[in-house]
Each structure stands twice: as structure tokens, then as C-alpha cells.
Amino acid sequence: MSDKRRAQTARDAEPRDDSCSIIALDKFIQATRDSGYKGTSSAISEIVDNSIQASANHIEINVTASVGGDDEDAKVIDISVIDDGCGMDPFTLRQALRFGGSSRFGDRRGLGRYGMGLPNASLSQSKRVIVWTWQSPGAEGAKSTSRARRVYTSYLDVDEIARGELKDVPVPSEVEAPPVRHAWPSGTVVLWAQCDRLDNRRVSTITRKLEAELGRRFRHFLWRGLKLTINGKPVTPFDPLYLNERSSFSGATLFSEEKYEVCADPTKPEETGWVTVRFSELPVHEWHTLSNEEKRRHGISKGAGVSIVRAGREVDYGWFFLGGKHRENYDDWWRCEILFDPVLDEAFGITHTKQQVRPQAHILEALTADIEATARVLNARARKGHLEVKAGERFSETEQRATDREHLLEPLPTKPRPEAKARMAELEQRHPALRRRDEEAAEPSRYRVLEDSPRDTCFFDYAFDGDKLVLALNPEHPFYREIYRPLNESDAPRDQQLRVKLELLLLAAARSEVSTKSADGVIAKHRRAWSNTLATFLNK
């Protein structure tokens, strides 16, 4: 017998599956476990979505490991989600466990639309999901009874489905009580048993990551009063914009907020929805002193991005609608939030798992230019803020040394020249840190040194308000470029000492000019002539 004939005979001997069902259930259930969810917190979020849509006010998440053995990694982990929502009747429970069996399919009024959340999310993380649910007596759909509540349960099991033992969602059975300690008149318990696909195997790690992710993802609901706990610990809302004082960390300022009316579908211009774009600016001067660990813990470092929020629930976080702008370190110091109406789901490319967006061309065209422009402005402001902070730290030794020796000199006049006082107002407007440092310091320095764009060709000028003297260096003068900047950029202690002495020399010149009584403009003209001569000598 030829090899070809033997192969054909072997194939003929194999059992054939003559089923023509659209879904090969045993294979589908294995394949669907590998698709759809970025991780455990994304899958848990689907169950929380269901609880919120069921009008729950309290949601408890419990992550537990089975008793036995000292190796925590070897323990079997179960996760349960318990809520006090409206509960389900037996028919709705059975439908909820079907893939695509939602009673709210296509409904944009809540967080779910496709009926995939409960079964798909659950089996992506565990081999078995069990649901208990009960309704208040007299609730719509609840059977009348003299008892306080009737509890129904059903389940899905991956192994039973794969073996062909479970082809339909089991008919819900009635049990005495749900596995909860609460006496809520209605509610639902979703238990993930035999969790084999969690991101982590340690309970402490799982709960820590869930707290962070859910705190950000459901922050708007938590601010509205939703009570969400993980292993008994309340989840604290985290605001990636750092604006809301009820969040775990805040202190940013709202930079801008714009509303856009956009088409849900370019072919149907009459169907529109609203998009709100909010930008926040993080306080560089206040937070730059945080340690690297603190910046990481609060999500500042490497946290740049845009939060996409649908109906109060974050669906994605990343580098969206920013056109050709590349991410830089300075982008850690601003944040953006885009809130949109559910009617725009297709425009934003929302998937059934509600964990990522794929914006369509017309929504990108409507939003990208403005968002990118604002991001570039904020990047520049952050860059300037860090330069001011760096300059303030650099000049601090000079300022402190001059202030410490002030008592050895003749007092400065108490009444400044009008032009010097006007220059102070100008500098304070251009350099907010100048005023901020005075407000924050316990004992404000008498002297300040900064860099400022020139009003003329002088290497330096000054401002004086009768109390504080500010020396302003011109970064465009050749002396700055040829001599001062190399000293400033050098890490050598000798160069740093020389830089401080040079700043003191110029500060002394400015102080002498403030103290000198002469005809208006004479000394200023002399300073300008000196600066121009110096520039001529230094220019190549």
C-alpha cells in the first residue's frame, strides 16, 4: 500500500465531527480565554461595570488563596465580586452567562453593550465562574414569596465545556442563601474559582495592582459616592490629572477645558455627540523636590498620557490624539482627559472589552490639531519651569552669601527709582517663581539672580522695589556665551566657585547702581556702553 493511500486510510479512520454549528464550543471556549483582555484588572473591571449598571452602591472584591502549604505561589486563588445591585431573576441570570446573551445588548445608556463581559472576563482568568443572585421581594421580575429573598445560582466551567459535558448554561437552581455576610435585600456574587490565568500569583501583588488600576478607572464613580473595597480596604480614587482634592494625590491646576460637538458617523451628520477635553498642569516648582520614589509612587514619573473616559469610566490611557508630537520627559508634567458620550463609541473605536480605543479618521481630524498644540505649549511651560528651578538652585549660593553680608554694608534706599520698580513688576510677571519663592521662604532673601531676555544690549540689568534687589543676566550677550555659560555648565568645583564669584561681582555692580545718587539715566547709559564695548572685544 502506498504512503498516500495509508494516510488517506488513517484520516478515514479518525472520528468525524459532522456538526455544522457556527461555534465549535469546546475549541471556542479555549480560544476565547486567550483573547480580549490586557490583564486581571481589565477583566475585573468588566464585573465592576455590571455591578454599577445594576445600580450597586457597594461593591466588594475579595482575593483569597486556599489554605495549605507555605508556598503562596502554589496556592489556588479565588476572586469574588459582591454587590448590592438590583440582582437578577433566573432567566436574566442564565442569559448573563451566555456569550452575547445580555438583556442590554446595544444599550448605550450604561457601561455594557455586548453581553460578553461576565463570561468572557471570568473565563479569561479562571476555569470556573459561579454566580449567585437575588432580588428584593416585589421587584420587577422577582417571583412573589413570603420569604425575605430567593437566591438563584448557575455557573460555567471550562473543563466541562471542553469535555462536551456542558453545552448549555445550567438552569439556575434555588439555594438557601448566598455566600455573603451581608443582609442586602438584593445583590449578586460572582466567584472566579480555580484562577489559573491571573497576572500574578501573590494575593498582595494582585490587590495592590487592582487598587491602583480600579482607583483610576472608576474615579468618577468613586467621587460620586460608589463604595468599592478590595479585601476590606476602600479603594481610593486616583486622578491622573491631579485636580480633584478627594483623590490620593492632587495639587495640579486646570489649564484648559474645551467642548467639541462631533459626528458619530461622517455619513450621518445629524447624529452628533459631545467630547470634553481637559488639560491640567502639574506644579513643577512645588513637586520637583519630591524624591524619585515619591514621583514614581504618585504616578508622576513616566505617567505622561491621555485618559479616555466613556460615560464616567476610563477605557484607555496612552499617547492619543497627539499627532506628530513625540513623548519627552517634560510631558510628565501635564495631563489630558478626554470625556465622550457613548453615542460616539464607533468614532472612538471602543471594543467590547472597553479597555482600548482605535479612533476613526474623522474624530482624529476633529481633535488632534488642538490637543497636539496644547500639549506642545504645556511641554514648553514645563521645560521653562524646570529651567527656573535649576536656575534658582544654581543661584541660591550667591543669593544667600550676599544676603548674609548685607548687614555689613550701607543700607539701600527705601524709595526705589520708578524705572527699577517697574522692572520688578515686569520680572515678577515673566517669572512667577520669583514671587513664589518669597511666599514659600521662611526668611526671604534680599537678593535674587535670574536669566531674562534682554530689553537692550546690556549684559545685565536690575530691578529694585525698596526691599528686594534682582540681578537679571542677559543670556544673549557674548560674555554669557563665551565665559559665563561654560562655567555654569561645568561640574568642576573650581568652575562653580568662580561662577559664584562672578555673580557676586555683577550683583555688587547692580547694588552700587541702586545706591548711587546721580542724574537719571547716566549710570544706565554707562552700563550699556560698557556692555557694548565688552561685546565688541569678545565677538570673533
Side-chain angles (χ1 to χ4, degrees):
M1 182 182 294
S2 67
D3 292 342
K4 185 176 181 180
R5 183 65 180 274
R6 287 193 187 95
Q8 181 63 47
T9 302
R11 285 195 295 271
D12 291 342
E14 292 177 354
R16 295 176 58 187
D17 182 3
D18 294 324
S19 170
C20 294
S21 62
I22 294 176
I23 295 175
L25 188 57
D26 57 336
K27 299 179 179 62
F28 167 79
I29 206 68
Q30 295 292 346
T32 195
R33 302 191 76 201
D34 297 324
S35 63
Y37 289 94
K38 294 179 180 179
T40 300
S41 53
S42 294
I44 282 285
S45 295
E46 286 281 6
I47 311 304
V48 175
D49 285 343
N50 291 341
S51 296
I52 292 174
Q53 192 143 1
S55 302
N57 296 310
H58 298 81
I59 304 172
E60 295 183 355
I61 299 172
N62 295 302
V63 184
T64 58
S66 60
V67 178
D70 297 327
D71 184 3
E72 187 176 353
D73 291 339
K75 294 180 179 179
V76 176
I77 296 177
D78 293 343
I79 298 180
S80 63
V81 181
I82 308 167
D83 69 52
D84 64 348
C86 62
M88 295 176 279
D89 59 34
F91 174 80
T92 305
L93 169 58
R94 202 176 186 194
Q95 291 297 309
L97 284 167
R98 295 179 61 210
F99 288 86
S102 173
S103 61
R104 296 186 290 262
F105 189 88
D107 185 356
R108 298 177 188 266
R109 291 172 296 178
L111 299 180
R113 284 181 54 201
Y114 301 103
M116 297 289 285
L118 175 56
N120 200 28
S122 300
L123 298 186
S124 75
Q125 305 294 307
S126 66
K127 287 188 174 182
R128 184 179 179 90
V129 55
I130 311 170
V131 180
W132 292 265
T133 188
W134 62 101
Q135 294 181 298
S136 299
E140 183 178 354
K143 295 181 180 180
S144 60
T145 175
S146 58
R147 292 192 295 170
R149 57 186 176 183
R150 301 185 71 172
V151 182
Y152 297 94
T153 184
S154 190
Y155 74 97
L156 292 177
D157 188 289
V158 170
D159 292 335
E160 291 184 22
I161 296 171
R163 292 195 300 264
E165 299 171 1
L166 190 64
K167 296 185 177 180
D168 298 306
V169 177
V171 176
S173 58
E174 186 174 350
V175 294
E176 287 294 326
V180 294
R181 64 182 183 277
H182 301 293
W184 289 330
S186 61
T188 298
V189 178
V190 177
L191 172 64
W192 294 353
Q194 305 173 46
C195 293
D196 61 337
R197 297 198 172 196
L198 302 176
D199 294 342
N200 304 97
R201 298 304 304 170
R202 291 187 175 276
V203 170
S204 57
T205 305
I206 294 170
T207 56
R208 185 179 70 252
K209 291 185 175 182
L210 283 178
E211 288 169 5
E213 287 291 324
L214 301 188
R216 190 190 74 236
R217 199 165 289 161
F218 293 99
R219 59 186 182 271
H220 289 279
F221 291 96
L222 293 167
W223 290 331
R224 297 172 198 165
L226 175 69
K227 305 299 181 185
L228 175 62
T229 62
I230 300 176
N231 282 4
K233 180 182 178 182
V235 173
T236 303
F238 172 70
D239 181 9
L241 274 67
Y242 303 96
L243 291 172
N244 197 300
E245 294 180 353
R246 292 175 292 168
S247 300
S248 56
F249 193 68
S250 63
T253 56
L254 181 66
F255 181 76
S256 66
E257 181 172 331
E258 300 289 340
K259 284 196 170 186
Y260 301 81
E261 187 176 12
V262 297
C263 294
D265 184 341
T267 65
K268 301 175 182 178
E270 70 282 356
E271 187 176 347
T272 64
W274 287 97
V275 178
T276 301
V277 179
R278 306 170 71 223
F279 279 93
S280 66
E281 186 173 22
L282 279 59
V284 173
H285 294 87
E286 287 81 356
W287 290 0
H288 80 280
T289 56
L290 296 174
S291 67
N292 291 334
E293 193 281 329
E294 287 176 309
K295 290 175 183 176
R296 181 197 59 76
R297 178 161 48 88
H298 293 307
I300 299 170
S301 298
K302 299 181 179 180
V306 179
S307 174
I308 311 292
V309 178
R310 173 195 185 269
R313 196 267 217 198
E314 184 182 274
V315 293
D316 211 343
Y317 191 95
W319 201 248
F320 301 107
F321 298 98
L322 289 162
K325 188 189 181 320
H326 299 292
R327 194 185 319 226
E328 304 174 68
N329 288 338
Y330 291 117
D331 293 318
D332 284 345
W333 294 89
W334 60 266
R335 295 292 189 275
C336 179
E337 180 183 61
I338 299 177
L339 306 98
F340 70 92
D341 295 336
V343 70
L344 300 175
D345 280 353
E346 285 76 15
F348 277 85
I350 296 295
T351 63
H352 75 270
T353 59
K354 301 186 293 297
Q355 61 180 344
Q356 63 185 47
V357 295
R358 300 187 182 93
Q360 301 301 303
H362 74 283
I363 201 77
L364 287 170
E365 183 179 355
L367 300 178
T368 299
D370 287 352
I371 292 176
E372 180 182 356
T374 304
R376 292 187 183 279
V377 169
L378 284 165
N379 177 284
R381 289 170 63 93
R383 183 188 300 272
K384 180 181 177 183
H386 278 87
L387 290 175
E388 289 178 346
V389 166
K390 184 178 179 181
E393 293 173 344
R394 188 175 76 229
F395 294 137
S396 60
E397 182 178 350
T398 299
E399 296 167 351
Q400 190 59 51
R401 188 180 297 187
T403 299
D404 290 345
R405 286 159 176 74
E406 173 68 15
H407 70 283
L408 301 175
L409 302 172
E410 290 292 328
L412 286 169
T414 57
K415 187 176 181 180
R417 293 189 180 97
E419 64 272 16
K421 191 171 184 180
R423 178 62 169 149
M424 181 68 78
E426 178 187 343
L427 289 176
E428 287 184 339
Q429 184 177 7
R430 290 161 61 89
H431 300 270
L434 192 61
R435 183 186 299 274
R436 188 184 299 112
R437 287 175 64 191
D438 286 338
E439 294 172 349
E440 295 174 354
E443 295 183 8
S445 172
R446 185 73 187 269
Y447 297 93
R448 289 282 186 267
V449 183
L450 51 77
E451 297 171 8
D452 188 69
S453 299
R455 297 187 302 172
D456 51 31
T457 57
C458 288
F459 172 47
F460 73 91
D461 70 350
Y462 69 90
F464 181 61
D465 60 4
D467 180 49
K468 179 170 70 264
L469 173 61
V470 176
L471 171 70
L473 303 178
N474 177 3
E476 298 178 18
H477 194 278
F479 188 89
Y480 184 99
R481 182 179 63 249
E482 299 295 332
I483 299 174
Y484 183 82
R485 178 183 290 164
L487 294 174
N488 183 41
E489 294 178 349
S490 173
D491 292 328
R494 182 184 180 88
D495 289 343
Q496 291 300 307
Q497 292 171 9
L498 185 57
R499 174 187 59 79
V500 170
K501 292 175 181 178
L502 179 58
E503 290 165 358
L504 289 170
L505 181 151
L506 296 172
L507 197 56
R511 190 185 192 282
S512 297
E513 189 169 334
V514 171
S515 302
T516 301
K517 297 178 181 181
S518 63
D520 290 344
V522 172
I523 297 181
K525 290 178 182 178
H526 175 75
R527 173 163 37 88
R528 186 160 50 250
W530 172 81
S531 295
N532 292 340
T533 302
L534 179 60
T536 302
F537 288 164
L538 291 174
N539 277 329
K540 296 179 181 180

